[in-house]
């Protein structure tokens, strides 16, 4: 089954652009986290510049995803909307549920841990949706 059968060439191009922005933002966020937590970079112009760069990359990622969604057909949009709904639900359950667990003595988690759950649920939702709606390949037919 070819999940990319749902993508037109334009969709594939827009999704690649989104993916590049996302990888750049994730790399920048990871680098900033390591540099800040390890005290390699003290608060100052360089630290604020790296933070501004990361936020800018995240905003460009969001913009690229919106361009992808606006250009996608109804089926592809439906798959992505369903995956976003799954991710939102998984994130809300994780954040609220684990917050109660913390009050009962569980170790504290960072907000980024719940965001990771959201991202994984988003990817899983896309995979499930693509498998559900993608036309079968010749070998599967």
């Amino acid at each position: 089954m070819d999940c990319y059968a749902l993508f037109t060439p334009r969709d594939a191009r827009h999704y690649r652009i989104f993916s590049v922005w996302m990888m750049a933002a994730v790399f920048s966020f990871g680098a900033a986290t390591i540099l800040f937590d390890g005290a390699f970079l003290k608060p100052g112009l360089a630290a604020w510049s790296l933070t501004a760069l990361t936020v800018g990359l995240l905003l460009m990622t969001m913009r690229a995803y919106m361009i992808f969604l606006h250009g996608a057909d109804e089926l592809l949009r439906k798959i992505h909307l369903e995956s976003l709904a799954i991710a939102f639900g998984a994130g809300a359950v994780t954040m609220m549920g684990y917050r109660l667990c913390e009050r009962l003595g569980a170790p504290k988690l960072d907000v980024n841990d719940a965001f990771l759950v959201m991202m994984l649920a988003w990817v899983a939702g896309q995979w499930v949706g693509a498998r559900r709606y993608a036309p079968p390949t010749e070998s599967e037919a």
Side-chain angles (χ1 to χ4, degrees):
M1 202 258 333
D2 182 15
C3 294
Y4 288 101
L6 295 168
F7 283 70
T8 65
R10 182 182 64 184
D11 294 335
R13 185 179 73 250
H14 286 162
Y15 202 76
R16 274 193 308 275
I17 291 168
F18 158 72
S19 296
V20 168
W21 282 113
M22 176 65 86
M23 287 186 288
V26 166
F27 177 79
S28 182
F29 177 81
T33 300
I34 291 168
L35 292 172
F36 298 162
D37 285 353
F40 298 110
L41 193 57
K42 302 288 184 201
L45 181 61
W48 280 105
S49 297
L50 181 55
T51 299
L53 171 67
T54 302
V55 170
L57 290 170
L58 289 166
L59 289 169
M60 290 305 295
T61 300
M62 187 174 76
R63 180 180 178 274
Y65 190 67
M66 293 303 298
I67 290 170
F68 162 73
L69 280 181
H70 284 254
D73 66 14
E74 292 86 9
L75 178 58
L76 196 52
R77 242 184 269 139
K78 175 182 174 52
I79 291 168
H80 279 264
L81 179 61
E82 288 178 3
S83 67
L84 287 168
I86 291 167
F88 181 83
V93 168
T94 300
M95 285 181 241
M96 295 173 74
Y98 199 82
R99 182 74 173 132
L100 292 175
C101 293
E102 285 177 348
R103 290 183 173 146
L104 295 174
K108 286 201 173 285
L109 292 181
D110 191 273
V111 68
N112 296 324
D113 298 324
F115 186 71
L116 179 61
V117 170
M118 291 176 73
M119 291 283 82
L120 293 174
W122 176 64
V123 169
Q126 286 180 53
W127 184 79
V128 168
R131 288 192 56 84
R132 181 183 309 141
Y133 298 115
T137 59
E138 290 178 19
S139 62
E140 294 174 332

